[in-house]
Amino acid sequence: GNSVTQMQGQVTLSEEEFLFINCTYSTTGYPTLFWYVQYPGEGPQLLLKVTTANNKGSSRGFEATYDKGTTSFHLQKASVQESDSAVYYCVLAQGGRALIFGTGTTVSVSP
Amino acid sequence: ETAVFQTPNYHVTQVGNEVSFNCKQTLGHDTMYWYKQDSKKLLKIMFSYNNKQLIVNETVPRRFSPQSSDKAHLNLRIKSVEPEDSAVYLCASSRTGYEQYFGPGTRLTVL
């Protein structure tokens, strides 16, 4: 079946450090992949999406590359700010069915 | 303003009571969803509605029931709440079935 794995439950950083969140997926065919971000007290919101294998998506300084060879969609940002503190979800969509969410990674950035 | 709106923001109730949560979207989307988010931030889809048809039901307990009057509204009723129903309930909508837009959530506490 379809699944998404985020092994890091929590990431703690200082401002201007590099952020990397690991995500791998399992599915058949060519899914669409997303990163959603959820700030405290809000619902998740779309951060970026990539529909084509081996393409890269970017938004607000975040980047993720859809790597079909390694079935990965890692998220990274070169220099984080305190305002990036949030929960980040790696998400898979396949065939128009419901989204499959990863378990989420809580990112805490201290000034 | 176009968005997904949820009421109430919070609700505290006793075991065995009935509760109802409202969701409205002004984005012109065709599909709406209810998710449950637990204390560990895990997101699980409960229902989705497309043109008044239930198209996804992830075997939630029978005490949960979605109610839709039109494609812009999808309410959630819980007939007799139990302690394990304490969670944040998130409503979302989409046009394509991929990019979903979420409301801010309703936090339910069952005493």
Side-chain angles (χ1 to χ4, degrees), chain A residues 44-110:
Chain A
Q45 58 182 265
L46 181 65
L47 178 59
L48 57 86
K49 77 169 183 179
V50 180
T51 58
T52 306
N54 301 323
N55 277 9
K56 181 167 71 176
S58 60
S59 172
R60 307 183 227 167
F62 291 89
E63 293 183 344
T65 299
Y66 180 160
D67 189 330
K68 186 158 176 64
T70 58
T71 63
S72 66
F73 192 54
H74 310 316
L75 181 71
Q76 56 187 33
K77 186 176 184 183
S79 177
V80 294
Q81 300 300 311
E82 189 177 5
S83 57
D84 294 324
S85 297
V87 181
Y88 293 81
Y89 293 96
C90 184
V91 183
L92 177 153
Q94 178 68 291
R97 300 189 200 103
L99 299 182
I100 307 296
F101 279 77
T103 50
T105 298
T106 300
V107 174
S108 300
V109 181
S110 55

Side-chain angles (χ1 to χ4, degrees), chain B residues 1-5 24-29 93 95 101-102:
Chain B
E1 183 188 0
T2 54
V4 180
F5 302 94
K24 171 186 172 181
Q25 56 96 1
T26 57
L27 296 162
H29 290 162
S93 72
R95 186 184 303 281
Y101 294 80
F102 285 81

Side-chain angles (χ1 to χ4, degrees), chain A residues 6-26:
Chain A
Q6 290 179 248
M7 296 300 293
Q8 302 151 284
Q10 177 106 24
V11 173
T12 303
L13 299 167
S14 300
E15 279 193 328
E16 300 184 5
E17 286 192 316
F18 173 69
L19 170 67
F20 182 89
I21 303 177
N22 195 298
C23 171
T24 57
Y25 65 90
S26 175

Side-chain angles (χ1 to χ4, degrees), chain A residues 32 34 36 46 49 51 93-99, chain B residues 27-33 50 55 93-101:
Chain A
T32 293
F34 307 85
Y36 275 75
L46 181 65
K49 77 169 183 179
T51 58
Q94 178 68 291
R97 300 189 200 103
L99 299 182
Chain B
L27 296 162
H29 290 162
D30 295 322
T31 306
M32 296 183 70
Y33 311 82
N50 185 331
I55 58 174
S93 72
S94 74
R95 186 184 303 281
T96 63
Y98 288 177
E99 295 171 44
Q100 293 184 12
Y101 294 80

